[in-house]
Amino acid sequence: MISNKTKKLKREFYTRSLLFVARDLLGKILVKKSGSKILSGKIVEVEAYHGDYDQASHAYKGKTKRNEVMFNEGGYFYVYFTYGAHFCANVVVGKKGKGIAVLIRALEPVEGIDVMIKNRFGGKLIHEKENYNLTNGPGKLCKAFGINKNHNGTDLIGNEIYILDQPKLRSNEIGVSKRIGITRSVDLQWRFFIKGNLFVSRK
DNA sequence: ATCAAGATTACCT
DNA sequence: GGTAATCTTGATA
């Protein structure tokens, strides 16, 4: 359940070290306002990307037009388009100029589920269990939340998209693994997820 | 100007 | 479990 202690995360949360921020994002609530509607979901799976020594990171080869948002200070939204079809949403982390981010890989829907169904499937949900297929992947959650290129660079300290604080998870509730879908720096154990959560993208 | 790769997904057997 | 789809970006000429 969602705690009553629902304060928006501040800049200081995001400007800490990468792996601390990545782990601490688990269990927090991503919120997006779209008109009068509110969409929200609990973060249940993330991956860390570091610009300096992580060859899988978009920022590894330095700043380009595509990845420039990654070089902001922590607390900005980095959205990119990939495979000709999908957007992926990241939280920029650390100090200005570093090129560090956390990819949000999966959410557990909380508010605005009707809108998410509409965004993902055009309004029709054939099987009840399809709810588990709404936001259990980086491209899927962007589609469900209506996140696209226009949201690249959004300040998460603002009111359009932000993340609500929640009690910190115990370490035995968090799973760790290699990252998914990359071909370089494959051995880093930088994927974190909530153990047993049904909305995690893969086992 | 051309080209290959990609932090994925959906659909097929 | 395998793979086609699809197009933007960044690198190379």
Side-chain angles (χ1 to χ4, degrees):
Chain A
M1 279 287 103
I2 299 196
S3 165
N4 290 325
K5 182 182 162 189
T6 52
K7 285 190 169 175
K8 192 185 299 183
L9 294 178
K10 298 190 176 78
R11 186 74 66 199
E12 296 75 44
F13 177 92
Y14 300 105
T15 52
R16 297 174 299 144
S17 295
L18 172 60
L19 298 185
F20 287 106
V21 178
R23 266 185 288 252
D24 289 351
L25 278 170
L26 292 175
K28 305 289 190 276
I29 308 292
L30 177 70
V31 182
K32 176 174 179 280
K33 293 186 178 176
S34 62
S36 57
K37 291 277 191 174
I38 295 226
L39 303 180
S40 72
K42 181 166 81 171
I43 298 171
V44 301
E45 179 183 350
V46 298
E47 284 178 359
Y49 288 88
H50 196 292
D52 288 342
Y53 48 90
D54 168 15
Q55 295 187 54
S57 171
H58 289 172
Y60 180 65
K61 292 179 180 171
K63 193 191 281 190
T64 66
K65 190 169 184 181
R66 178 203 207 192
N67 67 20
E68 62 183 355
V69 171
M70 277 186 84
F71 291 84
N72 285 346
E73 66 175 332
Y76 286 83
F77 216 40
Y78 168 48
V79 181
Y80 66 87
F81 186 66
T82 191
Y83 289 106
H86 311 290
F87 291 101
C88 292
N90 302 251
V91 174
V92 178
V93 172
K95 298 198 169 88
K96 190 173 176 62
K98 301 298 282 184
I100 304 172
V102 173
L103 170 69
I104 302 177
R105 284 196 56 90
L107 300 171
E108 176 178 333
V110 174
E111 295 169 273
I113 295 178
D114 54 330
V115 178
M116 296 183 204
I117 293 170
K118 191 178 244 178
N119 288 343
R120 281 270 289 142
F121 304 115
K124 293 171 189 168
L125 199 60
I126 302 184
H127 300 298
E128 185 67 30
K129 66 176 184 180
E130 293 271 356
N131 246 4
Y132 296 120
N133 193 27
L134 231 36
T135 54
N136 60 338
K140 296 177 188 179
L141 69 91
C142 284
K143 186 105 186 281
F145 273 61
I147 293 168
N148 58 52
K149 198 80 187 168
N150 297 329
H151 304 104
N152 188 36
T154 301
D155 190 350
L156 296 173
I157 310 308
N159 287 316
E160 188 187 1
I161 302 172
Y162 51 90
I163 300 176
L164 294 176
D165 197 8
Q166 292 291 298
K168 191 165 177 165
L169 298 179
R170 292 199 300 273
S171 60
N172 64 7
E173 298 175 277
I174 298 176
V176 183
S177 79
K178 294 179 181 179
R179 295 173 294 179
I180 292 172
I182 55 170
T183 57
R184 295 182 292 176
S185 297
V186 291
D187 288 332
L188 293 173
Q189 305 275 309
W190 281 6
R191 172 172 174 257
F192 305 98
F193 55 93
I194 299 180
K195 280 185 194 170
N197 187 285
L198 293 170
F199 297 85
V200 169
S201 68
R202 302 192 204 177
K203 294 194 173 181

